[in-house]
Amino acid sequence: MVHERVMEKLAILADAAKYDVSCSSSQSTRKNQNKGLGDTGNGICHAYTEDGRCVSLLKILLTNHCIFDCAYCVSRKSNDIKRAAFTVQEVVDLTIGFYRRNYIEGLFLSSGIFDNADFTMERLVRIVKKLRLEENFNGYIHLKAIPGASEELLKEAGLYADRLSVNVEMPTEKSLKLLAPDKNHKDVIQPMEYLKNEIVGYKEEKKSNYKAPLFAPAGQSTQMVIGATQENDLEILGMANYFYDTMQMKRVYYSGYVPISYDNRLPAIGTPVPMIRENRLYQADWLIRFYGFNVNEIVGFDQPNLDLDIDPKLGWALRNLHQFPVDINTADLELILRIPGIGVLSAKKIVAARKFKKLQAEDLQKLGIAYSRSKYFLAFASPFQLQKDLTSAQIKEYILNFQKSKYQNNFSNQLALF
């Protein structure tokens, strides 16, 4: 029976952790050995709140005490909230207990800063080390790397956690200085660079020595708060692209700011969370990582923000109607990937299927593409009723009339464990 006080801490520290959305659990290769507990396999199952946020893990802070006073953070030192802190053993016991009850399939552990970076990071490392070595826990662990912590602690953390993340928090140095004057981007970039080099180094060692230990096999990630300050989407996606190219980041997460503070530097309490904008940024991020788009094709100085009415791929297509219609029977894969309504898997299916016959509209529908969207951008070798001479405004109107967005300007708490 979990002690009442521990459950009270859990309620406080799980609630405080809900603002960190970077809890994906894929791409780890840690395997169960010696009849241990859990197995990351190819990732774990996920649950979602009604607003689309992922809550797949036991997602908690070690503590919500913090020496910093970041205006956008609910755990800032000046905020009048109930404080709590777990002991190392309490987090270990909760993780194992909840896993055995099938409540969770892994751990996402972050923390406020107790006294200094090393003091906090040392306790986070002790938790994951106990889970791995004493409890023989092989489930997924995502651990926050505390900016300013020593390289020795970061290295030890990478040997026991599946993924590490250092949150950049604000998209620009200017915004970070405005809302968190005690912090700077350099303190975030340095541990990112160190982790990148260690991950690459361990991967190379693994090639020549299969017994070499794993080091953060699911890589590293980061998170940016959006909507708290005035950065445009060009600045945000430009920063994300830098992380992907330079830091070899696995994921950049975008967290719509939840107004929690009466502070004239921030949106007022009651201001809607920018959920649609957050979703558009994720869609643009996907285009950059998997569809071969450049940031400047999606946003630019003449249009620095994404269209909230339509997804960025459709937005690009409407701005580039001169590249359409596309004959999917002859076009290369790169161009097919740019047709709205056709995803990566569908594009590959098209390329494979057209080797056997000339594809028509009914064939594409059987392949599972969103034909109601893609039909405005397609041409076929044989006669077919085409959507001709439509302007971009007309196409946009037809598509908007057909679809209904699942996103609304609301926000709900993290999904409960019980």
Side-chain angles (χ1 to χ4, degrees):
M1 186 73 178
V2 181
H3 192 274
E4 229 173 81
R5 175 55 184 155
V6 175
M7 294 305 292
E8 183 183 4
K9 292 181 185 180
L10 178 62
I12 295 168
L13 296 173
D15 185 71
K18 72 186 179 187
Y19 299 100
D20 196 326
V21 300
S22 55
C23 59
S24 175
S25 55
S26 61
Q27 299 175 318
S28 182
T29 55
R30 190 181 303 275
K31 298 297 181 182
N32 196 328
Q33 297 177 349
N34 301 322
K35 298 182 179 179
L37 184 68
D39 193 334
T40 59
N42 294 318
I44 66 174
C45 299
H46 298 80
Y48 296 88
T49 61
E50 63 190 15
D51 61 8
R53 294 178 184 271
C54 167
V55 200
S56 56
L57 315 171
L58 172 58
K59 184 179 174 186
I60 54 174
L61 301 184
L62 176 60
T63 183
N64 63 348
H65 292 278
C66 194
I67 62 174
F68 292 112
D69 201 27
C70 308
Y72 49 84
C73 182
V74 70
S75 298
R76 65 190 181 279
K77 67 179 181 182
S78 64
N79 201 17
D80 184 18
I81 58 171
K82 197 168 186 177
R83 305 285 176 172
F86 284 122
T87 66
V88 169
Q89 192 59 47
E90 284 172 343
V91 177
V92 172
D93 291 343
L94 279 172
T95 304
I96 297 301
F98 283 175
Y99 190 93
R100 290 189 185 280
R101 291 172 176 82
N102 203 30
Y103 293 158
I104 62 167
E105 297 196 64
L107 173 67
F108 176 95
L109 182 62
S110 184
S111 184
I113 312 300
F114 276 109
D115 184 47
N116 58 55
D118 276 351
F119 186 88
T120 306
M121 193 71 212
E122 187 270 337
R123 278 153 181 75
L124 296 176
V125 171
R126 280 171 56 196
I127 290 168
V128 294
K129 193 172 182 179
K130 279 173 109 22
L131 283 168
R132 296 298 192 204
L133 301 184
E134 296 180 18
E135 301 292 341
N136 203 12
F137 180 70
N138 291 285
Y140 184 85
I141 297 178
H142 182 147
L143 192 68
K144 284 295 175 181
I146 305 298
S150 70
E151 291 183 353
E152 290 79 5
L153 286 170
L154 292 176
K155 184 170 185 176
E156 196 169 14
L159 293 173
Y160 298 109
D162 294 285
R163 174 168 288 182
L164 294 170
S165 56
V166 189
N167 281 355
V168 70
E169 299 180 0
M170 291 292 111
T172 64
E173 178 76 20
K174 179 181 177 182
S175 290
L176 191 65
K177 282 298 180 186
L178 173 67
L179 300 178
D182 295 330
K183 294 183 176 181
N184 62 71
H185 270 186
K186 183 181 177 182
D187 290 338
V188 176
I189 300 302
Q190 283 182 336
M192 283 182 182
E193 289 179 334
Y194 173 78
L195 291 174
K196 178 200 72 173
N197 293 333
E198 289 296 305
I199 290 169
V200 170
Y202 274 85
K203 282 183 178 178
E204 288 301 313
E205 184 181 354
K206 198 76 173 174
K207 291 177 182 178
S208 58
N209 177 15
Y210 74 95
K211 291 185 178 180
L214 295 172
F215 187 91
Q220 64 168 320
S221 60
T222 192
Q223 172 180 288
M224 285 187 274
V225 177
I226 56 118
T229 45
Q230 297 302 312
E231 286 87 6
N232 57 45
D233 295 336
L234 175 61
E235 292 173 287
I236 292 169
L237 290 171
M239 177 62 76
N241 195 56
Y242 164 78
F243 287 136
Y244 288 129
D245 286 349
T246 307
M247 299 300 173
Q248 298 181 19
M249 199 71 61
K250 284 292 185 181
R251 288 293 303 273
V252 175
Y253 293 87
Y254 310 94
S255 177
Y257 175 67
V258 182
I260 54 173
S261 177
Y262 293 100
D263 189 316
N264 57 16
R265 295 172 293 176
L266 291 164
I269 289 179
T271 302
V273 179
M275 294 300 298
I276 298 177
R277 184 186 182 196
E278 178 185 304
N279 182 56
R280 297 299 181 219
L281 285 167
Y282 277 118
Q283 291 173 327
D285 183 284
W286 210 256
L287 295 181
I288 294 166
R289 291 194 295 139
F290 299 112
Y291 287 78
F293 281 81
N294 184 279
V295 171
N296 292 323
E297 292 182 286
I298 302 170
V299 284
F301 293 110
D302 57 335
Q303 187 176 340
N305 289 306
L306 297 168
D307 193 328
L308 298 183
D309 292 335
I310 56 176
D311 67 83
K313 188 177 180 182
L314 176 58
W316 175 84
L318 293 177
R319 293 192 302 273
N320 292 273
L321 284 181
H322 61 279
Q323 297 200 31
F324 300 98
V326 171
D327 184 349
I328 46 83
N329 286 296
T330 59
D332 59 27
L333 178 63
E334 290 71 21
L335 184 54
I336 294 174
L337 282 170
R338 292 184 170 230
I339 301 172
I342 298 181
V344 174
L345 292 178
S346 296
K348 291 179 179 178
K349 287 179 182 179
I350 287 170
V351 172
R354 70 188 186 185
K355 295 177 182 177
F356 303 96
K357 62 170 295 189
K358 289 288 185 180
L359 299 180
Q360 298 298 324
E362 58 270 20
D363 299 313
L364 296 185
Q365 290 171 306
K366 290 176 183 177
L367 290 175
I369 73 166
Y371 187 70
S372 61
R373 175 181 297 251
S374 64
K375 65 182 180 181
Y376 299 101
F377 307 94
L378 296 175
F380 298 91
S382 58
F384 182 74
Q385 185 178 357
L386 299 177
Q387 305 288 338
K388 293 183 178 179
D389 302 324
L390 294 177
T391 66
S392 59
Q394 288 173 319
I395 295 173
K396 179 179 178 180
E397 184 180 358
Y398 289 148
I399 291 175
L400 286 177
N401 287 337
F402 180 81
Q403 70 182 20
K404 291 184 179 179
S405 176
K406 63 181 178 180
Y407 293 94
Q408 296 178 356
N409 292 326
N410 62 9
F411 179 76
S412 62
N413 290 337
Q414 178 173 321
L415 191 68
L417 287 172
F418 307 100

